[in-house]
Amino acid sequence: MRVLVTRPEPGASRTAKRLSALGHEPVLLPLTGIAPLPTPAIAAADFDAVTVTSANALRNTAEEVLAQAARLPCFAVGDETARLAGEAGFAAVASADGDAGDLAALMKQRLPDRSRILYLCGRLRRPTFEAALSEAGFEVAALETYETLPADYTPESLAAHLGKETIDLALVYSAEAAIALVRLMHAETLVKLSPAPLFLCISTRVAAILSGEQHKTLVAAEPTEASMLSALRDISSAGAISRPIFMD
């Protein structure tokens, strides 16, 4: 299958390698980009724990800030983010192996009331996770380390990225990418070159943005790339789809 990868770099290239190993042809079209933000200095003594819901937050945190933060226990949303936190120097890392709701529940279980939490995050984010932490009795300080920017493609650059063959499936990782994909699907050039018959989304929130399009939309069983690729294996093997959720 020709699989469109819409996530930003450096994740897009890693996904491409995984797709190639599964026998698919990856087509890279990052629909968002990541730009680091200047991060103010922190003191580890001001906090009791660190939390992170995006690997990009770790990748774009200044080294001196990471050095301070790594002295604290770290709570990560999933295994991939937890792995990256370990590589960044955190000695004590706990993974919620789920979504932001699972992460908030894990932290409530393991941390005392009124713990001071340093949240490494992007400027563009939903307020629900921070609200859940506040409701759990934590004091949350958000440290924005990166910004998510929309990608800009001309018809010529789209043609160069996509080639002339059609796309069999598109992997969609974020609401921002879904919005950008809808916009491009309505562009004449993209429709001609890539009528992607199937969207495979990381969450129901992302899928809802695409559900009005004239294509089948699937949601991975869990909000992780591993679950998305597991669903892709189901799709490509005898057309059996057991785990993903359909959304029309």
Side-chain angles (χ1 to χ4, degrees):
M1 300 173 69
R2 293 191 85 224
V3 180
L4 190 70
V5 181
T6 63
R7 69 186 306 192
E9 293 289 9
S13 293
R14 289 196 303 272
T15 298
K17 291 180 181 178
R18 291 165 183 159
L19 289 170
S20 295
L22 292 173
H24 302 294
E25 179 187 348
V27 180
L28 300 189
L29 188 73
L31 295 180
T32 56
I34 302 298
L37 294 172
T39 49
I42 66 160
D46 293 338
F47 302 97
D48 300 301
V50 174
T51 189
V52 58
T53 55
S54 167
N56 285 319
L58 288 167
R59 294 191 187 101
N60 290 281
T61 300
E63 290 186 6
E64 58 272 21
V65 175
L66 268 182
Q68 283 286 320
R71 302 177 185 181
L72 301 167
C74 178
F75 292 84
V77 69
D79 293 344
E80 181 66 17
T81 305
R83 180 190 62 78
L84 192 61
E87 293 179 355
F90 287 89
V93 183
S95 169
D97 192 22
D99 58 18
D102 297 317
L103 179 57
L106 175 66
M107 295 174 67
K108 184 176 181 179
Q109 178 185 7
R110 296 196 182 181
L111 293 172
D113 289 344
R114 304 202 63 77
S115 290
R116 300 163 300 172
I117 309 299
L118 177 64
Y119 177 28
L120 302 180
C121 58
R123 177 173 289 170
L124 182 63
R125 63 188 186 278
R126 300 178 70 194
T128 50
F129 177 60
E130 288 159 88
L133 292 182
S134 296
E135 290 173 6
F138 300 135
E139 299 176 13
V140 185
L143 183 62
E144 297 174 347
T145 69
Y146 72 96
E147 187 164 19
T148 303
L149 303 172
D152 186 20
Y153 291 101
T154 64
E156 293 76 20
S157 63
L158 277 175
H161 276 81
L162 298 173
K164 295 183 179 180
E165 298 180 29
T166 59
I167 302 295
D168 298 304
L169 181 143
L171 296 175
V172 191
Y173 294 78
S174 69
E176 294 73 34
I179 292 168
L181 185 56
V182 169
R183 188 182 303 117
L184 289 177
M185 289 299 296
H186 293 167
E188 183 179 357
T189 302
L190 184 58
V191 171
K192 284 182 178 179
L193 292 175
S194 178
L198 186 63
F199 298 127
L200 179 51
C201 304
I202 199 167
S203 70
T204 54
R205 175 172 175 258
V206 172
I209 297 169
L210 295 163
S211 61
E213 301 302 305
Q214 299 301 310
H215 308 282
K216 287 187 179 297
T217 305
L218 304 177
V219 183
E222 298 174 357
T224 64
E225 182 175 77
S227 184
M228 295 172 78
L229 296 183
S230 176
L232 178 56
R233 282 190 289 268
D234 284 348
I235 293 166
S236 58
S237 62
I241 304 175
S242 57
R243 298 180 62 197
I245 306 166
F246 272 106
M247 291 186 67
D248 294 325

